[in-house]
Amino acid sequence: MNDFHKFKTLSPALRALGALSMTLLLACGGKPATGGAAPTSGDAAQPTEPGKTTEPTTPGDPNAPTSGALKIVSSLPRTGSANAQTTTIVNGIKMAIDDIGGKVGGFTVTYEDWDDASAKKGDWDPEVEAGNADKAVGDKNVVAYIGTYNSGAAMISMPVLNKAGLLMVSPANTYPALTKPGTGEAHEPAAYRPSGKITYFRVVPADDMQGAVGARWAQKMGAKSVYVLHDNGLYGKGVAAVFQQTAEDLGLKVHAFEAVDPKAQEYKSLMTKVKELNPDVVYYGGTTQTNAGQLVKDFVAVGATGKFMVPDGCFEEAFIQAAGAENANDRVFVTFGGVPPEKLVGQGADFVAAYKKKYGADPEAYAVYGYMATKVAIEAIKAAGKHDRWAISEAAAKVKFDDSALGKFEFTPDGDTTMATMSGNVVKAGKFEFVTLLSNE
Amino acid sequence: MTATATARRPVAPKPLWKRFELYLLLVLVIYPFFPFLDQAISAISGEQLRLDRQLVNIMIFAILALALNLQVGYAGLLQLGIAAFFAIGAFTTGVVSVEKYPFQFGFWGSIIMAPIVAGVAGLLLGAPTVRLKGDYLAIVTLGFGEVVRVVTLNLDAITDGPRGLSPIPSPWIPPDLAAGLGDVAKQSHFVTMYFVALIVLIALVAVFTLMERSRAGRAFVALREDELASACMGLNPAKTKLAAFAVGAAIAGFAGALYATNLQTTAEPNTYDFNYSIIVLCCVIIGGLGSLRGVLLGVGVLITFDSVLSPVLTKLIQKGVGASDNVFLSLTNWKLMIFGLALILTMRYKPEGLWPSARVKAELHEGTGGDK
Amino acid sequence: MELVIQQLLLGLTNGMVFALIALGYTMVYGILELINFAHGDLFMLASFLALTLVGLFGLGDASGGTLAVGLVGVIVVCALFAAGLNWVVDRVVYKPLRKAPKLAPLVSAIGVSFVFMNLGLFWGGLPMDEFGGGVAPAAPKSFPELLPNINLLGEDATLRVTPKDLLVIVSSLVVMAALFWFVNRTKLGKAMRATAQNPVAARLMGIDVDKVIGATFLIGGALAGFAAVIYSLYINTINFQMGYQNGLYAFTAAVLGGIGNIRGAVLGGLVIGLLRAFSDQFIGAQWQPAILFGTLILILVFRPTGLLGSTAREKV
């Protein structure tokens, strides 16, 4: 009860501080509005706080150590609904680390699985992603950052990591403008690389390719009209928009471009509307997590006929499980970047066998991406040969695979994968079945 | 009335130097320059905590919680959509400061615009609805939260839809000041955000402390105790509540401006969902409804656990049992459970909150015989 | 026109499901003035149990009489499970807080909701075929199509009525009728209404308020368990986070109808179902939640105690 009074004598001090703050705010508020011109800047790259041991290393630092302990970390949403997909990614990452027995050259490499989701959001949380980026930059042993899962999260951590020269490899970001100039806003992707150097790479093809390829495939299968749905997320909307654009360019009739509420229980009303228009193909830009399974299910439930096409966010067993094999069979078509693992020969086949042995299940698309993202980091460390972030990032740009779990690929100057093979798959007897290779011509 | 009487009983004031608030404040002021906790942990375990960076988020969250406390704790309005006003603040900041639009007021302009826009939204929503009974108001605010989220998501011509508005520029600070700060200026974004958040937080605490003993504060007490009687005494309950609702909304908008500027993006509209509102409410109630210190403590405990402590624990467990594939052996899979149990247990043993205000506590026990 | 009728039917069917969940909310609220945030998650756990039972009994391949008997069994077990769990939660979590500030049990309920959600996540990891082998605990689970997906009016008819629609509507109506009978005609029902009106007076009249509260949680839970099975049969997908959205809509339905009012909850559920259907059809799916909640706000502005709510009952 007397607690209340504690504030009494403190308040003059507080009042003074309050007044001070107000003065400061007013003073600054009165300045000409040049604020907008200030360069952006999470400054995390300058770890100059006293006591911090990290020193910014510059490329070519001859004194960089060539042995010691290095860390690869991943920042993926591990709490909440994305957990299913990120678990398979993490499995892939662990396999890549196990493959090399935790050793690269003179270095020992350990892996840490960081969560960029919080219990309070139940999904990726911008604050946590920003915190992870800061932590990674602050820990001098971290030399590679595998992530993120969500492109929105990448927008937050990319500039921070880029300034520190820290290598970032994403197993899942597909938003085109993260790397490709001219595909998004004017400031993209420059805003994500404040140092001017490329430190971000992705092993998945961006949406601009996948959406286009999907539309072409739909046309080849004889579609005259399409109905485009998306989940109003960065990924789903992006890929659906490209699909719609390409479909229009190809002369297909696009009935609608409509977002759904990915948390809704069911979509029978929506599908009834779709059924009335009788499109040849319904495209859904979304993932298992954003209810693609339920859409397929209700599409069938209202008695609609026609094909249903989805992007690689649904290329996983969990999607068929969610949609119900009986609904998805022979009706659902999935595009995927790269050749499906089971069609691979050489290293790809080895990967599939090893994965099956270790986890008792066929690897999902995401597992392959996670595995390859980590491989890129490992190859970069090997090539750089020293504990120097900038050097490792530079080395990553030159990483090249003649044969891998994703086939042959290297990186474009923007950090995109050169892998231009997309595959078209269909659900048959409760499994994905490879149909054809797709290309953007 | 016994409540106010007891609260006014004179108590010998503690000297300033014995107050822990003073030391807490001192620690907060020097922390960005001397992050001793981070250093200690880093020295012991090699883990980077980056508490200094997390503190900015925590302080912004605290500002939001204080806004909600004004509405729920003081005015007794059950508000389940605080995230909507937070979002309005963040997106206003985006619109007035990104390059895409002609405004480009910068940070200092946006922290004026954001509270105004959010406050007006609060006024518009509150005017016809504050007279609703508790739970009906709750659902109206909840609904408003969903409407704002969906509308920001769908109006991509303005808000860039799921991408959100970015990049939001760092606060502009006078070059002279920047030069004077030397090394620190290299981290200008973080340091500026840290101190802006700290100063705002202190100012809010000061204002609320003063308010508790002002006419407005007494009006709130009267309203909570007996709306009918207070109306008879000449108080206009609807007006008082509406004022609290609108001002709370404006402060939440302010917090939104800080949040977006700190992240340099508004992030996707789904960030500001119902869940977010609920967590802020939990912080306020866990700490102690209507208690300033309680609310700050509530935020400190819940958010520190969620974004600082749990990653550290996860790492320790990963080190202990090795990276396991077992669903039960990963802390992330237990996060919701721990969070939930924490809420249940706190309420079980501290139903008035961890650190309730003396006045609210007295009010609550009045009539049940206890003025504990 | 047929399209409108079709949407009307879909809206009503969905609305019935919301109404069933909303009843549990509204009953607890009527007695305790507690918004039981965990109700949606209780419903979720019951649906996980339903899927587990379907797997254990092998109902996926059953048909005819076996299927009917099996389903009744599943409904009974799920209802008992949810009722029991709800009752236990009340005894352990809410009961000690009867005299606490009004918002304390609300936070506890949110806590229980988190705990249930986490249990659902673990449950999804069960190594059963029905759960996809438990490889991805967080992924949505498909509930087998136990009822044939055929059009009762003939496959060529424009209007589509499936056995599922009938099941939802008929069984919901039966359960609701039973509930009304119980509340209005039995002694315990009368005690409930009395407690809802004024717990102190009820106690003075010799009503064991504690017992009434326990009974309310039991019935509310049983309704959630029943709703879970009906929902699973109708929607055919369950996941550990579904309690959130369903709870949100059901809670909205309860308030819309006038919280604490049983007929109101049913009406609220139906209104929400219809709003969803028609906004999808005529406005666009992306606006659905905005339209739903926008309408809700408008209704409450003009009818401050919900559609069927009694005029401001003051509790002192």
Side-chain angles (χ1 to χ4, degrees), chain B residues 131-132 135-136 139 150 154 333 337 347, chain C residues 29 97 108 118 255 259 286 300-301 305:
Chain B
R131 70 199 162 88
L132 295 178
D135 300 297
Y136 293 98
I139 196 86
V150 171
N154 286 337
N333 288 338
M337 179 84 79
M347 286 298 106
Chain C
Y29 185 90
L97 298 177
S108 295
N118 211 147
V255 177
I259 192 156
Q286 70 259 46
L300 289 181
V301 166
T305 49

mmCIF file with all atom_site columns, all heavy atoms in Angstrom, chain B residues 131-132 135-136 139 150 154 333 337 347, chain C residues 29 97 108 118 255 259 286 300-301 305:
data_model
loop_
_atom_site.group_PDB
_atom_site.id
_atom_site.type_symbol
_atom_site.label_atom_id
_atom_site.label_alt_id
_atom_site.label_comp_id
_atom_site.label_asym_id
_atom_site.label_entity_id
_atom_site.label_seq_id
_atom_site.pdbx_PDB_ins_code
_atom_site.Cartn_x
_atom_site.Cartn_y
_atom_site.Cartn_z
_atom_site.occupancy
_atom_site.B_iso_or_equiv
_atom_site.pdbx_formal_charge
_atom_site.auth_seq_id
_atom_site.auth_comp_id
_atom_site.auth_asym_id
_atom_site.auth_atom_id
_atom_site.pdbx_PDB_model_num
ATOM 1   N N   . ARG B 1 131 ? -19.436 3.146   -24.445 1.00 0.00 ? 131 ARG B N   1
ATOM 2   C CA  . ARG B 1 131 ? -20.544 2.958   -23.509 1.00 0.00 ? 131 ARG B CA  1
ATOM 3   C C   . ARG B 1 131 ? -20.953 1.481   -23.421 1.00 0.00 ? 131 ARG B C   1
ATOM 4   O O   . ARG B 1 131 ? -21.736 1.100   -22.567 1.00 0.00 ? 131 ARG B O   1
ATOM 5   C CB  . ARG B 1 131 ? -21.724 3.827   -23.915 1.00 0.00 ? 131 ARG B CB  1
ATOM 6   C CG  . ARG B 1 131 ? -22.367 3.337   -25.188 1.00 0.00 ? 131 ARG B CG  1
ATOM 7   C CD  . ARG B 1 131 ? -23.223 4.384   -25.871 1.00 0.00 ? 131 ARG B CD  1
ATOM 8   N NE  . ARG B 1 131 ? -23.441 3.981   -27.253 1.00 0.00 ? 131 ARG B NE  1
ATOM 9   C CZ  . ARG B 1 131 ? -24.439 3.196   -27.631 1.00 0.00 ? 131 ARG B CZ  1
ATOM 10  N NH1 . ARG B 1 131 ? -25.301 2.748   -26.762 1.00 0.00 ? 131 ARG B NH1 1
ATOM 11  N NH2 . ARG B 1 131 ? -24.577 2.858   -28.902 1.00 0.00 ? 131 ARG B NH2 1
ATOM 12  N N   . LEU B 1 132 ? -20.437 0.645   -24.330 1.00 0.00 ? 132 LEU B N   1
ATOM 13  C CA  . LEU B 1 132 ? -20.786 -0.775  -24.280 1.00 0.00 ? 132 LEU B CA  1
ATOM 14  C C   . LEU B 1 132 ? -20.281 -1.408  -22.997 1.00 0.00 ? 132 LEU B C   1
ATOM 15  O O   . LEU B 1 132 ? -19.244 -1.040  -22.472 1.00 0.00 ? 132 LEU B O   1
ATOM 16  C CB  . LEU B 1 132 ? -20.174 -1.517  -25.473 1.00 0.00 ? 132 LEU B CB  1
ATOM 17  C CG  . LEU B 1 132 ? -20.684 -1.142  -26.857 1.00 0.00 ? 132 LEU B CG  1
ATOM 18  C CD1 . LEU B 1 132 ? -19.941 -1.932  -27.912 1.00 0.00 ? 132 LEU B CD1 1
ATOM 19  C CD2 . LEU B 1 132 ? -22.170 -1.407  -26.951 1.00 0.00 ? 132 LEU B CD2 1
ATOM 20  N N   . ASP B 1 135 ? -17.650 -6.880  -21.886 1.00 0.00 ? 135 ASP B N   1
ATOM 21  C CA  . ASP B 1 135 ? -17.294 -7.888  -22.867 1.00 0.00 ? 135 ASP B CA  1
ATOM 22  C C   . ASP B 1 135 ? -17.742 -7.559  -24.277 1.00 0.00 ? 135 ASP B C   1
ATOM 23  O O   . ASP B 1 135 ? -17.206 -8.063  -25.239 1.00 0.00 ? 135 ASP B O   1
ATOM 24  C CB  . ASP B 1 135 ? -17.804 -9.242  -22.412 1.00 0.00 ? 135 ASP B CB  1
ATOM 25  C CG  . ASP B 1 135 ? -17.186 -9.608  -21.080 1.00 0.00 ? 135 ASP B CG  1
ATOM 26  O OD1 . ASP B 1 135 ? -15.962 -9.746  -21.044 1.00 0.00 ? 135 ASP B OD1 1
ATOM 27  O OD2 . ASP B 1 135 ? -17.918 -9.693  -20.074 1.00 0.00 ? 135 ASP B OD2 1
ATOM 28  N N   . TYR B 1 136 ? -18.755 -6.713  -24.391 1.00 0.00 ? 136 TYR B N   1
ATOM 29  C CA  . TYR B 1 136 ? -19.158 -6.287  -25.729 1.00 0.00 ? 136 TYR B CA  1
ATOM 30  C C   . TYR B 1 136 ? -18.103 -5.356  -26.300 1.00 0.00 ? 136 TYR B C   1
ATOM 31  O O   . TYR B 1 136 ? -17.785 -5.391  -27.472 1.00 0.00 ? 136 TYR B O   1
ATOM 32  C CB  . TYR B 1 136 ? -20.538 -5.627  -25.688 1.00 0.00 ? 136 TYR B CB  1
ATOM 33  C CG  . TYR B 1 136 ? -21.610 -6.620  -25.339 1.00 0.00 ? 136 TYR B CG  1
ATOM 34  C CD1 . TYR B 1 136 ? -22.098 -6.736  -24.048 1.00 0.00 ? 136 TYR B CD1 1
ATOM 35  C CD2 . TYR B 1 136 ? -22.085 -7.490  -26.313 1.00 0.00 ? 136 TYR B CD2 1
ATOM 36  C CE1 . TYR B 1 136 ? -23.060 -7.675  -23.738 1.00 0.00 ? 136 TYR B CE1 1
ATOM 37  C CE2 . TYR B 1 136 ? -23.037 -8.438  -26.004 1.00 0.00 ? 136 TYR B CE2 1
ATOM 38  C CZ  . TYR B 1 136 ? -23.526 -8.532  -24.709 1.00 0.00 ? 136 TYR B CZ  1
ATOM 39  O OH  . TYR B 1 136 ? -24.465 -9.482  -24.408 1.00 0.00 ? 136 TYR B OH  1
ATOM 40  N N   . ILE B 1 139 ? -15.229 -7.436  -27.587 1.00 0.00 ? 139 ILE B N   1
ATOM 41  C CA  . ILE B 1 139 ? -15.383 -8.039  -28.911 1.00 0.00 ? 139 ILE B CA  1
ATOM 42  C C   . ILE B 1 139 ? -15.317 -6.990  -30.012 1.00 0.00 ? 139 ILE B C   1
ATOM 43  O O   . ILE B 1 139 ? -14.821 -7.232  -31.102 1.00 0.00 ? 139 ILE B O   1
ATOM 44  C CB  . ILE B 1 139 ? -16.681 -8.868  -28.992 1.00 0.00 ? 139 ILE B CB  1
ATOM 45  C CG1 . ILE B 1 139 ? -16.641 -9.799  -30.192 1.00 0.00 ? 139 ILE B CG1 1
ATOM 46  C CG2 . ILE B 1 139 ? -17.898 -8.025  -29.079 1.00 0.00 ? 139 ILE B CG2 1
ATOM 47  C CD1 . ILE B 1 139 ? -15.968 -11.076 -29.895 1.00 0.00 ? 139 ILE B CD1 1
ATOM 48  N N   . VAL B 1 150 ? -6.736  -6.963  -41.715 1.00 0.00 ? 150 VAL B N   1
ATOM 49  C CA  . VAL B 1 150 ? -7.145  -7.392  -43.049 1.00 0.00 ? 150 VAL B CA  1
ATOM 50  C C   . VAL B 1 150 ? -7.087  -6.232  -44.038 1.00 0.00 ? 150 VAL B C   1
ATOM 51  O O   . VAL B 1 150 ? -6.636  -6.384  -45.169 1.00 0.00 ? 150 VAL B O   1
ATOM 52  C CB  . VAL B 1 150 ? -8.556  -8.008  -43.000 1.00 0.00 ? 150 VAL B CB  1
ATOM 53  C CG1 . VAL B 1 150 ? -9.088  -8.264  -44.392 1.00 0.00 ? 150 VAL B CG1 1
ATOM 54  C CG2 . VAL B 1 150 ? -8.530  -9.292  -42.193 1.00 0.00 ? 150 VAL B CG2 1
ATOM 55  N N   . ASN B 1 154 ? -4.866  -5.960  -47.385 1.00 0.00 ? 154 ASN B N   1
ATOM 56  C CA  . ASN B 1 154 ? -5.488  -5.888  -48.709 1.00 0.00 ? 154 ASN B CA  1
ATOM 57  C C   . ASN B 1 154 ? -5.230  -4.600  -49.471 1.00 0.00 ? 154 ASN B C   1
ATOM 58  O O   . ASN B 1 154 ? -5.251  -4.589  -50.687 1.00 0.00 ? 154 ASN B O   1
ATOM 59  C CB  . ASN B 1 154 ? -6.998  -6.101  -48.592 1.00 0.00 ? 154 ASN B CB  1
ATOM 60  C CG  . ASN B 1 154 ? -7.324  -7.550  -48.313 1.00 0.00 ? 154 ASN B CG  1
ATOM 61  O OD1 . ASN B 1 154 ? -6.534  -8.441  -48.615 1.00 0.00 ? 154 ASN B OD1 1
ATOM 62  N ND2 . ASN B 1 154 ? -8.468  -7.797  -47.723 1.00 0.00 ? 154 ASN B ND2 1
ATOM 63  N N   . ASN B 1 333 ? 9.628   -26.871 -28.717 1.00 0.00 ? 333 ASN B N   1
ATOM 64  C CA  . ASN B 1 333 ? 8.342   -27.550 -28.721 1.00 0.00 ? 333 ASN B CA  1
ATOM 65  C C   . ASN B 1 333 ? 7.600   -27.427 -27.395 1.00 0.00 ? 333 ASN B C   1
ATOM 66  O O   . ASN B 1 333 ? 6.443   -27.793 -27.294 1.00 0.00 ? 333 ASN B O   1
ATOM 67  C CB  . ASN B 1 333 ? 8.513   -29.020 -29.074 1.00 0.00 ? 333 ASN B CB  1
ATOM 68  C CG  . ASN B 1 333 ? 8.842   -29.200 -30.538 1.00 0.00 ? 333 ASN B CG  1
ATOM 69  O OD1 . ASN B 1 333 ? 8.551   -28.316 -31.338 1.00 0.00 ? 333 ASN B OD1 1
ATOM 70  N ND2 . ASN B 1 333 ? 9.469   -30.294 -30.888 1.00 0.00 ? 333 ASN B ND2 1
ATOM 71  N N   . MET B 1 337 ? 3.771   -24.418 -23.895 1.00 0.00 ? 337 MET B N   1
ATOM 72  C CA  . MET B 1 337 ? 3.409   -25.042 -22.622 1.00 0.00 ? 337 MET B CA  1
ATOM 73  C C   . MET B 1 337 ? 3.955   -24.225 -21.452 1.00 0.00 ? 337 MET B C   1
ATOM 74  O O   . MET B 1 337 ? 3.236   -23.896 -20.505 1.00 0.00 ? 337 MET B O   1
ATOM 75  C CB  . MET B 1 337 ? 4.014   -26.450 -22.604 1.00 0.00 ? 337 MET B CB  1
ATOM 76  C CG  . MET B 1 337 ? 3.762   -27.225 -21.355 1.00 0.00 ? 337 MET B CG  1
ATOM 77  S SD  . MET B 1 337 ? 2.171   -28.019 -21.403 1.00 0.00 ? 337 MET B SD  1
ATOM 78  C CE  . MET B 1 337 ? 2.500   -29.429 -22.435 1.00 0.00 ? 337 MET B CE  1
ATOM 79  N N   . MET B 1 347 ? -1.358  -16.392 -12.021 1.00 0.00 ? 347 MET B N   1
ATOM 80  C CA  . MET B 1 347 ? -2.714  -16.006 -11.624 1.00 0.00 ? 347 MET B CA  1
ATOM 81  C C   . MET B 1 347 ? -3.189  -16.803 -10.408 1.00 0.00 ? 347 MET B C   1
ATOM 82  O O   . MET B 1 347 ? -3.921  -16.311 -9.572  1.00 0.00 ? 347 MET B O   1
ATOM 83  C CB  . MET B 1 347 ? -3.687  -16.207 -12.792 1.00 0.00 ? 347 MET B CB  1
ATOM 84  C CG  . MET B 1 347 ? -3.547  -15.174 -13.863 1.00 0.00 ? 347 MET B CG  1
ATOM 85  S SD  . MET B 1 347 ? -3.915  -13.496 -13.293 1.00 0.00 ? 347 MET B SD  1
ATOM 86  C CE  . MET B 1 347 ? -2.334  -12.749 -13.187 1.00 0.00 ? 347 MET B CE  1
ATOM 87  N N   . TYR C 2 29  ? -19.904 -18.381 -19.748 1.00 0.00 ? 29  TYR C N   1
ATOM 88  C CA  . TYR C 2 29  ? -19.975 -16.951 -19.515 1.00 0.00 ? 29  TYR C CA  1
ATOM 89  C C   . TYR C 2 29  ? -21.206 -16.588 -18.693 1.00 0.00 ? 29  TYR C C   1
ATOM 90  O O   . TYR C 2 29  ? -21.140 -15.801 -17.761 1.00 0.00 ? 29  TYR C O   1
ATOM 91  C CB  . TYR C 2 29  ? -19.994 -16.174 -20.832 1.00 0.00 ? 29  TYR C CB  1
ATOM 92  C CG  . TYR C 2 29  ? -19.942 -14.692 -20.582 1.00 0.00 ? 29  TYR C CG  1
ATOM 93  C CD1 . TYR C 2 29  ? -18.726 -14.040 -20.496 1.00 0.00 ? 29  TYR C CD1 1
ATOM 94  C CD2 . TYR C 2 29  ? -21.102 -13.952 -20.370 1.00 0.00 ? 29  TYR C CD2 1
ATOM 95  C CE1 . TYR C 2 29  ? -18.658 -12.699 -20.206 1.00 0.00 ? 29  TYR C CE1 1
ATOM 96  C CE2 . TYR C 2 29  ? -21.045 -12.610 -20.074 1.00 0.00 ? 29  TYR C CE2 1
ATOM 97  C CZ  . TYR C 2 29  ? -19.824 -11.983 -19.990 1.00 0.00 ? 29  TYR C CZ  1
ATOM 98  O OH  . TYR C 2 29  ? -19.748 -10.657 -19.697 1.00 0.00 ? 29  TYR C OH  1
ATOM 99  N N   . LEU C 2 97  ? -9.851  -19.197 -8.300  1.00 0.00 ? 97  LEU C N   1
ATOM 100 C CA  . LEU C 2 97  ? -9.867  -17.778 -8.655  1.00 0.00 ? 97  LEU C CA  1
ATOM 101 C C   . LEU C 2 97  ? -11.261 -17.155 -8.615  1.00 0.00 ? 97  LEU C C   1
ATOM 102 O O   . LEU C 2 97  ? -11.474 -16.070 -9.119  1.00 0.00 ? 97  LEU C O   1
ATOM 103 C CB  . LEU C 2 97  ? -9.292  -17.596 -10.073 1.00 0.00 ? 97  LEU C CB  1
ATOM 104 C CG  . LEU C 2 97  ? -7.845  -18.022 -10.256 1.00 0.00 ? 97  LEU C CG  1
ATOM 105 C CD1 . LEU C 2 97  ? -7.421  -17.856 -11.708 1.00 0.00 ? 97  LEU C CD1 1
ATOM 106 C CD2 . LEU C 2 97  ? -6.926  -17.210 -9.358  1.00 0.00 ? 97  LEU C CD2 1
ATOM 107 N N   . SER C 2 108 ? -5.724  -16.864 -16.930 1.00 0.00 ? 108 SER C N   1
ATOM 108 C CA  . SER C 2 108 ? -5.541  -18.298 -16.728 1.00 0.00 ? 108 SER C CA  1
ATOM 109 C C   . SER C 2 108 ? -6.072  -19.077 -17.921 1.00 0.00 ? 108 SER C C   1
ATOM 110 O O   . SER C 2 108 ? -5.470  -20.029 -18.378 1.00 0.00 ? 108 SER C O   1
ATOM 111 C CB  . SER C 2 108 ? -6.280  -18.775 -15.483 1.00 0.00 ? 108 SER C CB  1
ATOM 112 O OG  . SER C 2 108 ? -5.715  -18.185 -14.356 1.00 0.00 ? 108 SER C OG  1
ATOM 113 N N   . ASN C 2 118 ? -0.098  -26.747 -26.998 1.00 0.00 ? 118 ASN C N   1
ATOM 114 C CA  . ASN C 2 118 ? 1.146   -27.502 -26.954 1.00 0.00 ? 118 ASN C CA  1
ATOM 115 C C   . ASN C 2 118 ? 0.869   -29.010 -26.884 1.00 0.00 ? 118 ASN C C   1
ATOM 116 O O   . ASN C 2 118 ? 1.524   -29.812 -27.544 1.00 0.00 ? 118 ASN C O   1
ATOM 117 C CB  . ASN C 2 118 ? 1.990   -27.062 -25.760 1.00 0.00 ? 118 ASN C CB  1
ATOM 118 C CG  . ASN C 2 118 ? 3.484   -27.176 -26.026 1.00 0.00 ? 118 ASN C CG  1
ATOM 119 O OD1 . ASN C 2 118 ? 4.268   -26.398 -25.543 1.00 0.00 ? 118 ASN C OD1 1
ATOM 120 N ND2 . ASN C 2 118 ? 3.897   -28.166 -26.811 1.00 0.00 ? 118 ASN C ND2 1
ATOM 121 N N   . VAL C 2 255 ? -21.022 -13.510 -28.494 1.00 0.00 ? 255 VAL C N   1
ATOM 122 C CA  . VAL C 2 255 ? -21.232 -12.112 -28.128 1.00 0.00 ? 255 VAL C CA  1
ATOM 123 C C   . VAL C 2 255 ? -22.257 -11.464 -29.044 1.00 0.00 ? 255 VAL C C   1
ATOM 124 O O   . VAL C 2 255 ? -23.127 -10.712 -28.603 1.00 0.00 ? 255 VAL C O   1
ATOM 125 C CB  . VAL C 2 255 ? -19.905 -11.325 -28.178 1.00 0.00 ? 255 VAL C CB  1
ATOM 126 C CG1 . VAL C 2 255 ? -20.151 -9.866  -27.880 1.00 0.00 ? 255 VAL C CG1 1
ATOM 127 C CG2 . VAL C 2 255 ? -18.924 -11.906 -27.197 1.00 0.00 ? 255 VAL C CG2 1
ATOM 128 N N   . ILE C 2 259 ? -24.135 -12.342 -25.157 1.00 0.00 ? 259 ILE C N   1
ATOM 129 C CA  . ILE C 2 259 ? -23.398 -13.377 -24.434 1.00 0.00 ? 259 ILE C CA  1
ATOM 130 C C   . ILE C 2 259 ? -24.128 -13.805 -23.174 1.00 0.00 ? 259 ILE C C   1
ATOM 131 O O   . ILE C 2 259 ? -24.699 -12.992 -22.452 1.00 0.00 ? 259 ILE C O   1
ATOM 132 C CB  . ILE C 2 259 ? -21.931 -12.972 -24.168 1.00 0.00 ? 259 ILE C CB  1
ATOM 133 C CG1 . ILE C 2 259 ? -21.128 -14.176 -23.698 1.00 0.00 ? 259 ILE C CG1 1
ATOM 134 C CG2 . ILE C 2 259 ? -21.835 -11.812 -23.223 1.00 0.00 ? 259 ILE C CG2 1
ATOM 135 C CD1 . ILE C 2 259 ? -19.643 -14.057 -23.954 1.00 0.00 ? 259 ILE C CD1 1
ATOM 136 N N   . GLN C 2 286 ? -10.767 -12.246 -49.773 1.00 0.00 ? 286 GLN C N   1
ATOM 137 C CA  . GLN C 2 286 ? -9.790  -11.552 -48.933 1.00 0.00 ? 286 GLN C CA  1
ATOM 138 C C   . GLN C 2 286 ? -10.425 -10.564 -47.966 1.00 0.00 ? 286 GLN C C   1
ATOM 139 O O   . GLN C 2 286 ? -9.811  -10.137 -47.012 1.00 0.00 ? 286 GLN C O   1
ATOM 140 C CB  . GLN C 2 286 ? -8.692  -10.871 -49.763 1.00 0.00 ? 286 GLN C CB  1
ATOM 141 C CG  . GLN C 2 286 ? -9.131  -9.684  -50.567 1.00 0.00 ? 286 GLN C CG  1
ATOM 142 C CD  . GLN C 2 286 ? -9.335  -10.079 -52.019 1.00 0.00 ? 286 GLN C CD  1
ATOM 143 O OE1 . GLN C 2 286 ? -9.939  -11.083 -52.340 1.00 0.00 ? 286 GLN C OE1 1
ATOM 144 N NE2 . GLN C 2 286 ? -8.815  -9.274  -52.923 1.00 0.00 ? 286 GLN C NE2 1
ATOM 145 N N   . LEU C 2 300 ? -23.208 -4.197  -32.872 1.00 0.00 ? 300 LEU C N   1
ATOM 146 C CA  . LEU C 2 300 ? -23.083 -3.869  -31.454 1.00 0.00 ? 300 LEU C CA  1
ATOM 147 C C   . LEU C 2 300 ? -23.264 -2.380  -31.173 1.00 0.00 ? 300 LEU C C   1
ATOM 148 O O   . LEU C 2 300 ? -23.704 -1.995  -30.098 1.00 0.00 ? 300 LEU C O   1
ATOM 149 C CB  . LEU C 2 300 ? -21.749 -4.363  -30.897 1.00 0.00 ? 300 LEU C CB  1
ATOM 150 C CG  . LEU C 2 300 ? -21.654 -5.884  -30.756 1.00 0.00 ? 300 LEU C CG  1
ATOM 151 C CD1 . LEU C 2 300 ? -20.325 -6.286  -30.174 1.00 0.00 ? 300 LEU C CD1 1
ATOM 152 C CD2 . LEU C 2 300 ? -22.784 -6.425  -29.900 1.00 0.00 ? 300 LEU C CD2 1
ATOM 153 N N   . VAL C 2 301 ? -22.935 -1.547  -32.166 1.00 0.00 ? 301 VAL C N   1
ATOM 154 C CA  . VAL C 2 301 ? -23.149 -0.116  -31.960 1.00 0.00 ? 301 VAL C CA  1
ATOM 155 C C   . VAL C 2 301 ? -24.648 0.154   -31.850 1.00 0.00 ? 301 VAL C C   1
ATOM 156 O O   . VAL C 2 301 ? -25.098 0.943   -31.017 1.00 0.00 ? 301 VAL C O   1
ATOM 157 C CB  . VAL C 2 301 ? -22.519 0.703   -33.105 1.00 0.00 ? 301 VAL C CB  1
ATOM 158 C CG1 . VAL C 2 301 ? -23.024 2.133   -33.100 1.00 0.00 ? 301 VAL C CG1 1
ATOM 159 C CG2 . VAL C 2 301 ? -21.001 0.687   -32.975 1.00 0.00 ? 301 VAL C CG2 1
ATOM 160 N N   . THR C 2 305 ? -26.226 -4.859  -26.612 1.00 0.00 ? 305 THR C N   1
ATOM 161 C CA  . THR C 2 305 ? -26.100 -6.099  -25.854 1.00 0.00 ? 305 THR C CA  1
ATOM 162 C C   . THR C 2 305 ? -26.313 -7.308  -26.750 1.00 0.00 ? 305 THR C C   1
ATOM 163 O O   . THR C 2 305 ? -26.742 -8.358  -26.314 1.00 0.00 ? 305 THR C O   1
ATOM 164 C CB  . THR C 2 305 ? -27.110 -6.143  -24.691 1.00 0.00 ? 305 THR C CB  1
ATOM 165 O OG1 . THR C 2 305 ? -28.389 -5.814  -25.202 1.00 0.00 ? 305 THR C OG1 1
ATOM 166 C CG2 . THR C 2 305 ? -26.720 -5.178  -23.600 1.00 0.00 ? 305 THR C CG2 1
#
